[in-house]
Amino acid sequence: MDMAPSAPSLPTTALPTVNRRRVATAAALASAVEWYDYFVFGIAAALVLGDLYFPAGSSTAGVLASFATFAVGFLARPIGGIVAGHLGDKRGRKPMLVLALTLMGLATTGIGLLPTYDTIGVAAPILLVALRVVQGIAVGAQWGGAMLLATEYAPEGKRGVYGSVVQLGVPIGVVTANTVFLLAGAFTTDSGFAAWGWRVPFLIGLFVLALAWYIHAKVEETPEFREAERQLAEKEKSEQSSPLRTILRDHLGTVLLAGGSFAVNTATFYILITGVLDYTTRELDMKKSAVLTVSLCVSLTQLVLIPAAAALSDRYGRIRIYTIGAIGIAAWAIPLFLLIDTGSLLWLAVATFVASCFLSIMYGPQAALFAELFTPEMRYTGASLGYQIAAVAGGGLAPFLMVLLLEATGTSLAVSGYIIALSVIALISIKVLAGRARSH
């Protein structure tokens, strides 16, 4: 049995189809831009940031320091989720989303302009960490706002599909980030890339952000959307003074279960796009451009797989589809690294493609599932907290832990064991959430 929505959607019968699509497009663009800016850091962390900002010690120590900085962004994400969730539940979704876009644009541009350790010494890694924290706060604030713009204005029976357009921001961000890095590498020498080429993806993010923000502003001018937002804000202000207090007092268990159900997805995803990039290029001597190309192609398939999984969840239930994805990730964890360890580009593509399929099966319905766990007056806060707890527990530490596990054990199967352990936690969390739904 699947989980029934805990609260009905906002009335959307008065909204013309074109306005729904405009809202969904704005949410998808905001998500794609935000994730692009976030992912360029992960790719740069695997390729150059260790040498440029943490030069002391071995190459492994530099990568560990770089990935630790990458993880700091995840530790900051719950802050963005809490603040934006609380204010978004009281003041409206859109202002928080615009704020998140602004913070991300400023932080990403700042990283692109940041002098290296050789230029300003210890101030360079300190500033890098500070800017990464701002990126984390921004993306923590963004997801809930974009997700709710899409799901709360979805037509009856299509909440999963509309929520998936925001989830598509992840593969779009990955594809765009990988493409820009590939182009930067193709048009520069190795020394040129290390000197300035890696900065180009960070600086381009600001222009993409400006485009998405422009479209987002046009959607805000739609009278029907403004009225719906005003009614939502008035309703939430009158019904609840502190969404965060209510979540922590009455629904903390649901938040933790949501996070537990999704940590394996975020961990495996970041292992694939950052950990594997470092592992294959540094340990298996595979070409950077070839590995990035594989990552790009695999991410393109998610543009089809994510909405397909979301559509299936609208028909067959969120929990059923979500569970299939979690089981698949657990079953594929060992074959994943056995194939990667061959050093073959073909088997790398096969391994990461199959893993990506199972990730997409989970990720497609996840936005709608998390939205349905909470009533509208606390939905931004609750869904954001659940998502960001998963990001900290899974994604933020995954590449760092992957390097530690490889160094400590000498085998990639240790990373497979880490993924399997998170899968077990996910399946237990999903089972408890399903049981709670049946009892209501």
Side-chain angles (χ1 to χ4, degrees), residues 123-363:
I126 292 174
L127 290 172
L128 183 67
V129 170
L131 290 169
R132 182 59 179 170
V133 167
V134 176
Q135 276 196 323
I137 292 172
V139 82
Q142 174 272 144
W143 181 80
M147 178 270 291
L148 292 179
L149 280 182
T151 58
E152 290 186 336
Y153 292 93
E156 185 69 26
K158 292 187 177 180
R159 183 181 270 175
V161 171
Y162 270 65
S164 73
V165 304
V166 175
Q167 308 296 71
L168 287 177
V170 169
I172 291 172
V174 173
V175 168
T176 309
N178 276 288
T179 300
V180 175
F181 266 103
L182 280 170
L183 292 173
F187 288 99
T188 60
T189 62
D190 287 345
S191 59
F193 183 81
W196 61 270
W198 68 271
R199 298 180 184 275
V200 174
F202 288 91
L203 300 177
I204 286 178
L206 184 61
F207 294 100
V208 180
L209 171 59
L211 175 63
W213 201 358
Y214 171 80
I215 297 173
H216 188 62
K218 291 297 182 181
V219 172
E220 192 173 21
E221 292 170 1
T222 304
E224 293 89 345
F225 183 82
R226 284 185 180 177
E227 179 64 17
E229 186 180 51
R230 184 187 65 79
Q231 292 177 358
L232 174 65
E234 288 180 355
K235 177 176 182 291
E236 292 173 348
K237 287 177 188 176
S238 64
E239 289 187 358
Q240 184 169 321
S241 59
S242 177
L244 177 60
R245 187 183 302 116
T246 300
I247 284 288
L248 295 178
R249 184 186 64 221
D250 300 330
H251 303 281
L252 182 59
T254 301
V255 169
L256 294 175
L257 288 169
S261 76
F262 196 62
V264 66
N265 190 288
T266 58
T268 306
F269 174 77
Y270 285 103
I271 284 173
L272 292 181
I273 69 164
T274 58
V276 168
L277 177 57
D278 167 65
Y279 178 61
T280 53
T281 55
R282 186 167 56 89
E283 299 288 344
L284 303 181
D285 294 322
M286 299 179 72
K287 291 184 178 180
K288 172 185 66 179
S289 60
V291 177
L292 283 172
T293 301
V294 167
S295 179
L296 187 153
C297 292
V298 168
S299 295
L300 283 172
T301 65
Q302 291 185 309
L303 298 178
V304 176
L305 294 171
I306 287 174
L312 288 174
S313 79
D314 282 332
R315 182 170 182 179
Y316 298 108
R318 316 275 182 239
I319 287 291
R320 185 174 290 114
I321 303 302
Y322 200 66
T323 303
I324 291 172
I327 292 173
I329 291 171
W332 190 247
I334 291 177
L336 170 65
F337 277 96
L338 290 178
L339 292 175
I340 290 174
D341 283 342
T342 65
S344 162
L345 200 63
L346 174 62
W347 287 122
L348 171 67
V350 171
T352 53
F353 170 71
V354 175
S356 177
C357 288
F358 292 123
L359 291 178
S360 299
I361 290 171
M362 282 191 77
Y363 201 57

Side-chain angles (χ1 to χ4, degrees), residues 79-138:
I79 299 173
I82 289 171
V83 175
H86 180 74
L87 294 176
D89 277 330
K90 291 176 70 66
R91 309 296 182 189
R93 312 328 193 184
K94 183 155 294 185
M96 295 303 102
L97 186 55
V98 170
L99 177 60
L101 291 171
T102 304
L103 287 175
M104 181 62 84
L106 294 174
T108 304
T109 304
I111 293 171
L113 298 173
L114 186 64
T116 63
Y117 187 94
D118 287 342
T119 304
I120 60 173
V122 71
I126 292 174
L127 290 172
L128 183 67
V129 170
L131 290 169
R132 182 59 179 170
V133 167
V134 176
Q135 276 196 323
I137 292 172

